[in-house]
């Protein structure tokens, strides 16, 4: 019997990917694989992902300012 070949799904076309939005003036978007748990390139792919649009994810940054940061700047 012939074994059916499962098609590879590119990360840029996978629902298992999340597009992490960049922030700031030079921020760039990245793709994060929710199956693998790390950043991936748009041309990477796998056979267990489902086709569809990537989700949108935001990586929140924690900012802690000292009590005199407004007066003396953040160090």
């Amino acid at each position: 019997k012939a074994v059916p070949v499962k098609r590879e799904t590119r990360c840029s076309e996978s629902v298992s990917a999340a597009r992490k939005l960049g922030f700031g003036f030079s921020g760039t978007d990245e793709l994060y694989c929710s199956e693998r748990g790390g950043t991936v390139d748009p041309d990477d792919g796998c056979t267990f992902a489902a086709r569809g649009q990537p989700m949108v994810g935001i990586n929140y940054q924690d900012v802690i300012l000292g009590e005199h940061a407004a007066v003396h700047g953040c160090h």
Side-chain angles (χ1 to χ4, degrees), residues 2-72:
V3 176
V5 177
K6 190 166 182 187
R7 293 187 53 181
E8 184 177 88
T9 302
R10 297 279 177 224
C11 291
S12 60
E13 302 167 339
S14 169
V15 297
S16 298
R19 188 170 307 280
K20 287 172 47 175
L21 304 176
F23 59 93
F25 293 112
S26 61
T28 56
D29 294 355
E30 294 181 316
L31 281 178
Y32 179 87
C33 179
S34 61
E35 296 285 340
R36 205 184 83 187
T39 56
V40 291
D41 290 327
D43 286 335
D44 288 344
C46 62
T47 57
F48 52 81
R51 286 191 169 278
Q53 290 293 321
M55 301 173 282
V56 176
I58 299 173
N59 188 12
Y60 291 102
Q61 301 297 315
D62 289 333
V63 177
I64 300 172
L65 299 175
E67 60 185 66
H68 297 293
V71 176
H72 303 292

